[in-house]
């Protein structure tokens, strides 16, 4: 039994808190804190009504290490789930070290003014966590997160070693707006506007944004144009599985989405350079755009269709070339009916809770800063089936597919 | 912590066993038994692979009271979930009395050769269960089951008392076959071919089969023709809530389904009178039809769309007329991905497991033979949200709707 502190009160937090409350035989106490206490209260009220479970709520500025450490101690929390903004990762990790709590997050640290997507600064805290006997589990969302576990499963049980890795992320949801982003819009747009990057023969190769694409058939969901872009799990996966010769990440975007995004880029609306509005008042076009676009949280009730995210791992098993596709399908409306948030939040929030559950039950436990693929995949996969994210394995032909190019 | 014995190995059993395995912090041991052990083994294998939980399996003839009592004792089971055929209810209840186990089922006792849908014979065992300090929970499926709990919730928390009760059951699923039944075909066809019956001012009124219908708007699923028919929960609900002036049950059927069914009836294929094939070999047209029609279990992977089942309760609250609609929406494909069975099994199997969980945790506990609505609704409703069947409440206008007629 653990006491869990969840920091952040967006869609992912909503899902993780609901799912933790559904596992209240493991989480003795659940505490929810964010900059805006009223957002925490709204989630707590829903959970009380729908599940009969009490959630404690607090206001916290997660950039304030001392205040966060005090909150951890005051609430006797032994695990902290960070589902706030990725800018706050390092501060919350420091608060955990100070107060003696384990740490879980879903996305790597981001500089507020620079899009790097690197684990470097979080990994640098490994010795500190190790000395303190604490564990930090990085990237326990879907991608990164479940994609790392799928990859680990291929390496641990399906193949002797992985040679080629392709991660394919499809959101076949339709929210009915002409243009909207389904996650924190800033992170979403940053992913697309940066150069694409993939790993081949020990090196990182850059390509122009959205310049490599193919159509991929997502089983039971359909064929969608899928674009090569950089995604943070590639960094840890290529490090932890040195047999990998090539690792890539693809995501689907509709033509309509890209057309709007191009227009916004062309007029400078995706820049993160602050613009002065008046004395002492400045805002970047990206920040301003966030205020103009539909709130991602408002998409939930409107979005229909599914997400389909999986990993294709190719390699040899007993001398025979094999290719396995491991994937999850999540339905936006089903997720919304269950927890009041659609799949983009659901597929991140459920694994975030499972990461905490792995530590709480000591199923995964080793002091230090860890990535998901460093642990046995199977117990996590069991929990995915148990907690609402069923997954499937298909064997694919080893040649003749678009990913071969 | 309880040891749970599940009898039966069809779609509902599959769901209930999966869901029990997902709650293995409550069910210390899960045992699955049926006439055909290989069916149990197939379910156990899936659960082992997907959830990592061990299920013990046995062959049992549930009509053999002594053998069933011995199995209960040998496996140290303290709760028996009967999801076999309703013909076997009385025998399994007797086995529970003999071995000292609590009993849960999802449908009332049926004579093998007569369609009565009555609780009489099961209620007659009340004193025996009471004396033995054992509980029998009847009808813990969706309808009966969740519909009883929804009704109890309206009576306990929404209205001073219920005057009008309408239960509405919509299966908006499409399996792509010209004709198939989605549950045990015999029960399914019996429900439709018997006379319709509803309760009004203390009396039961009969109508010709399928002779009363209207179009009803099932929120978020659509408008479907809905037919008045008799359903067993009406018996216990009108007994336990004597304020009810009128209680009815409606179910949707497509024109295509009814057209095929009429043709089968016209040629005598729905009769349950045995026909002699050869010396010592006879079979009823209904039993034969079951062999010809697609196996209900095969519909799972094919069926798309949702089920939408709910209760409209009308009455007064503090002198003001009020009408509440409490319902669940379940998606066939989402259910299939989670547990390998579609909604018709899912919506029955999940509440079946929850009924056992209510007894295991002593949340609902009173010696004797009990119906669902005799207990506080709220803890069961929390579990519905937690275990995959989210529910919703809407306030409806108190006049101008088709149910007013």
């Amino acid at each position: 039994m653990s006491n869990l502190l969840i920091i952040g009160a967006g869609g992912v937090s909503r899902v993780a808190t609901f799912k933790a409350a559904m596992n209240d035989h493991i989480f003795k106490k659940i505490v929810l804190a964010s900059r805006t206490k009223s957002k925490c209260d709204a989630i707590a009220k829903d959970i009380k009504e729908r599940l009969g479970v009490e959630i404690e709520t607090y206001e916290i500025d997660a950039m304030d290490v001392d205040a966060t450490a005090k909150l951890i101690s005051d609430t006797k929390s032994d695990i902290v789930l960070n589902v706030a903004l990725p800018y706050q990762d390092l501060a919350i990790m420091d608060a955990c070290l100070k107060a003696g709590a384990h740490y879980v997050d879903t996305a790597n640290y981001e500089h507020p003014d620079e899009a790097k997507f690197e684990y470097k600064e979080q990994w640098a805290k490994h010795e500190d966590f190790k000395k303190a006997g604490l564990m930090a589990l990085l990237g326990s969302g879907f991608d990164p997160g479940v994609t790392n576990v799928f990859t680990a499963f291929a390496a641990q049980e399906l193949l002797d070693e992985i040679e080629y890795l392709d991660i394919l992320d499809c959101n076949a949801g339709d929210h009915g707006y002409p243009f909207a982003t389904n996650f924190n819009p800033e992170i979403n747009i940053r992913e697309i506007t940066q150069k694409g990057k993939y790993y081949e023969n020990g090196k990182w190769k850059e390509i122009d944004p959205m310049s490599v694409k193919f159509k991929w058939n997502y089983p039971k969901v359909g064929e969608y144009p899928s674009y090569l872009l950089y995604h943070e799990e590639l960094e840890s996966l290529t490090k932890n599985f040195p047999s990998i010769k090539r690792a890539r990440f693809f995501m689907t975007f509709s033509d309509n989405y890209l057309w709007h995004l191009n227009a916004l880029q062309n007029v400078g609306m995706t820049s993160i350079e602050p613009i002065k509005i008046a004395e002492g008042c400045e805002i970047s076009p990206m920040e301003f755009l966030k205020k103009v676009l539909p709130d991602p949280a408002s998409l939930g009730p409107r979005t229909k269709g599914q997400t389909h995210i999986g990993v294709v791992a190719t390699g040899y098993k007993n001398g025979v070339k094999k290719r396995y596709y491991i994937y999850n399908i999540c339905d936006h409306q089903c997720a919304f009916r269950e927890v009041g948030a659609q799949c983009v939040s659901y597929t991140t929030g459920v694994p975030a809770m499972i990461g905490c559950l792995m530590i709480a039950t000591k199923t995964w436990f080793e002091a230090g800063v860890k990535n998901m693929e460093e642990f046995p995949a199977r117990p996590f996969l069991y929990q995915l089936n148990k907690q609402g994210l069923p997954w499937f394995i298909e064997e694919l032909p080893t040649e003749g597919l678009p990913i071969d190019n």
Side-chain angles (χ1 to χ4, degrees), chain A:
Chain A
M1 298 277 279
S2 279
N3 292 341
L4 176 63
L5 167 62
I6 299 171
I7 302 180
V12 175
S13 165
R14 181 182 186 81
V15 175
T17 311
F18 255 87
K19 285 292 183 174
M22 290 179 176
N23 289 276
D24 57 347
H25 56 294
I26 287 166
F27 301 109
K28 192 170 54 180
K29 183 163 80 165
I30 304 165
V31 180
L32 183 56
S34 83
R35 277 174 307 177
T36 317
K37 185 170 174 293
S38 61
K39 285 191 181 182
C40 300
D41 291 339
I43 295 171
K45 181 166 175 284
D46 268 17
I47 289 175
K48 175 69 183 159
E49 280 175 11
R50 294 178 69 88
L51 301 170
V53 175
E54 299 281 353
I55 309 291
E56 286 184 23
T57 59
Y58 295 91
E59 182 178 316
I60 189 73
D61 172 6
M63 293 306 284
D64 183 339
V65 175
D66 289 338
T68 307
K70 184 170 184 307
L71 179 63
I72 297 170
S73 301
D74 288 352
T75 55
K76 298 188 172 51
S77 301
D78 46 0
I79 302 176
V80 175
L81 172 60
N82 165 20
V83 281
L85 294 173
Y87 313 133
Q88 301 169 324
D89 287 4
L90 298 180
I92 297 174
M93 288 179 88
D94 288 341
C96 284
L97 283 169
K98 192 160 183 174
H102 306 296
Y103 170 88
V104 177
D105 70 24
T106 66
N108 64 12
Y109 174 65
E110 285 283 316
H111 296 265
D113 48 7
E114 210 179 346
K116 276 193 174 173
F117 297 105
E118 276 183 357
Y119 280 116
K120 193 170 61 185
E121 283 148 305
Q122 291 185 274
W123 283 342
K125 295 185 187 293
H126 177 65
E127 287 303 324
D128 290 344
F129 270 85
K130 203 172 162 185
K131 264 182 235 155
L134 296 172
M135 174 165 162
L137 183 62
L138 305 186
S140 187
F142 206 100
D143 45 340
V146 176
T147 51
N148 303 52
V149 174
F150 285 167
T151 304
F153 185 65
Q156 290 163 6
E157 303 204 19
L158 301 177
L159 299 171
D160 295 329
E161 47 185 33
I162 301 171
E163 291 198 334
Y164 298 95
L165 180 71
D166 290 287
I167 302 172
L168 297 132
D169 178 333
C170 170
N171 183 354
D174 179 11
H175 50 61
Y177 283 119
F179 181 78
T181 64
N182 48 32
F183 197 50
N184 182 319
E186 192 165 349
I187 306 294
N188 205 196
I189 292 175
R190 273 193 189 188
E191 285 180 336
I192 305 161
T193 52
Q194 70 173 352
K195 286 207 162 197
K197 198 167 76 172
Y198 67 101
Y199 178 89
E200 194 167 37
N201 298 323
K203 286 183 186 145
W204 292 99
K205 304 201 171 173
E206 272 197 350
I207 58 164
D208 284 335
M210 312 292 281
S211 61
V212 172
K213 76 160 172 172
F214 53 68
K215 284 202 171 184
W216 180 256
N217 181 26
Y218 294 86
K220 293 173 199 151
V221 167
E223 198 176 65
Y224 288 88
S226 307
Y227 294 83
L228 192 159
L229 49 83
Y230 181 68
H231 222 244
E232 64 194 66
E233 65 263 53
L234 296 179
E235 183 183 8
S236 73
L237 287 170
T238 51
K239 172 175 164 280
N240 285 314
F241 298 108
S243 68
I244 291 177
K245 290 183 182 165
R246 189 186 64 200
R248 301 179 301 185
F249 183 97
F250 296 88
M251 191 180 269
T252 61
F253 297 96
S254 73
D255 291 345
N256 173 68
Y257 182 87
L258 295 176
W259 182 83
H260 283 88
L261 189 66
N262 272 330
L264 290 168
Q265 269 188 277
N266 290 345
V267 299
M269 273 308 293
T270 59
S271 160
I272 53 177
E273 286 296 319
I275 286 174
K276 191 174 165 181
I277 309 296
E279 202 56 50
C281 164
E282 54 179 33
I283 188 167
S284 71
M286 178 73 93
E287 280 296 321
F288 188 81
L289 185 60
K290 277 165 69 173
K291 293 182 181 298
V292 174
L293 290 178
D295 177 2
S298 75
L299 304 182
R302 306 169 53 103
T303 304
K304 296 183 174 182
Q306 292 88 31
T307 61
H308 186 304
I309 314 176
V311 159
V312 178
T314 309
Y316 284 84
K317 181 71 176 179
N318 302 326
V320 181
K321 196 172 180 188
K322 292 277 183 183
R323 175 176 278 167
Y324 292 99
Y325 193 5
I326 316 169
Y327 59 85
N328 161 263
I329 300 172
C330 182
D331 186 275
H332 289 295
Q333 291 287 298
C334 291
F336 193 78
R337 287 194 291 267
E338 184 191 335
V339 299
Q342 37 88 303
C343 289
V344 179
S345 299
Y346 193 86
T347 54
T348 308
V350 173
M353 184 283 291
I354 296 176
C356 299
L357 187 151
M358 291 282 113
I359 296 177
T361 57
K362 299 281 184 288
T363 309
W364 282 5
F365 196 81
E366 199 185 325
V369 176
K370 298 281 161 185
N371 287 85
M372 308 285 287
E373 66 271 25
E374 298 180 60
F375 295 95
R378 199 171 270 273
F380 198 99
L381 293 176
Y382 288 152
Q383 286 296 327
L384 285 175
N385 279 330
K386 187 165 171 175
Q387 309 290 349
L389 291 175
W391 51 274
F392 306 92
I393 300 182
E394 283 183 26
E395 195 169 345
L396 296 186
T398 54
E399 49 192 48
L401 295 179
I403 50 167
D404 288 336
N405 302 315

